[in-house]
Amino acid sequence: MSDEVTDLLAYIDASPSPFHAVLESKRRLQAAGFKEVHERDAWALSPGDKAFVIRDGGSIAAFEIGSAPPEEAGVRLIGAHTDSPTLRIKPNPELVRENYRQLAVEVYGGALYSTWLDRDLAIAGRVVLQGEGASVQSELVRLDELPLRIPNLAIHLNRGVNDSLALNAQQHLVPVLGLGDRAGFSLREQLVKALPNAAPERVLGWDLSLFTLEPARLGGLGQELIFAPRLDNLSCCHHSLRALIESSGPRPHTRAVVLFDHEEVGSQSARGAGSLMLRGLLSRVLEVFGPETEGRLQRTVARSFLLSGDMAHGVHPNYADRHEPGHRPLLGQGPVIKLNSNQGYGTDGETWALIEQLAASVQAKVQRFVVRSDLGCGSTIGPISAARLGIRTVDIGNPMLSMHSSREMAAATDVEPMIRLMRQFLAVA
């Protein structure tokens, strides 16, 4: 197993929620010499500095400022997202039904419902506590010691289940926490056990979701496959961070990685790609080279390039007809350039060609994907960021199977070529 693959598995296991993904990203960036700055503060930065900024715990942007003004040298950006489809805990979650203690959840994103059944699950995310006065403070929790499960209905009571399985999100996706005929249990009490010096009454709110307890691992005859949760899209988060850290060094242009939350639900939030977070980051970098003048941001964007990293649909051996003939990406055969005429992806002919050239320069074989003409196309942060800024954009990702399942599948041999391609993308303007 390569170092890159081992590192990816560790990154995924450390990131059961977007907040944990940001925390793990922060740890790695600090170890590589990046310093944290805050949006509420003035930034005292200079050319050559390496820094990162976190927005609301779920999104993070890291950057290394070039030696030349961005309106002259441009910015190379990689974008990805920290969130994945899951089940999130409702505000009043405690339920008792038929002597089972349960937790009320709602579906986040386009989850494959059936894959959450009969899995060992746990809770992770952010808890918001009462601070001093009118202040609040956030703490991350991960309750591995409090496993849950959403049990399937026995086939004897649902004889047609193998012909058609219809799951109602409100009725059938409610996890079982334990047994008991009284509503005398509290999620708050369980949360504070994992929080030092906390009390149930201090818990004011949370952003909590379920995750599978089984860790990421390798499989296949030659350990060539990755079986893991949240490959979409922690893989691209991991790859882009490694590329940024490994491409560090003096260069005229600025390099940046932006990992957004809320892509799986449309990106229209304060910390999503639909926000002004990326535009604000570019403006703050421009300030390093002097006061803002008319047209500087537009000139910077015109010289810049965004690589939107998000996993791609590999061809499924049992459903190959669901792919466009001639555009069937294979696991283990390299990164996939994603195109869609209706702008589901941000790639156009020019940015496609530029990535083809870049890949050839580092001997990274690439594949191409378009969706079948009679199927709808998913989307990414690419078109959103392109529209917000007017920046050249390409959408690219490694092929995978079981996308949006509670556990997904990809090829181990695709990891290093993608990191190599991203590293070169950042290094050469």
Side-chain angles (χ1 to χ4, degrees), residues 17 19 56 88-89 124-128 205-209 271:
S17 77
F19 306 102
D56 196 25
R88 296 209 164 175
I89 308 297
R126 176 174 69 174
V127 178
V128 184
W206 56 65
D207 298 288
L208 298 171
S209 56
R271 60 178 184 263

Side-chain angles (χ1 to χ4, degrees), residues 403-414:
M403 188 178 289
H404 288 197
S405 171
S406 67
R407 286 186 66 82
E408 299 167 325
M409 175 175 158
T413 53
D414 286 331

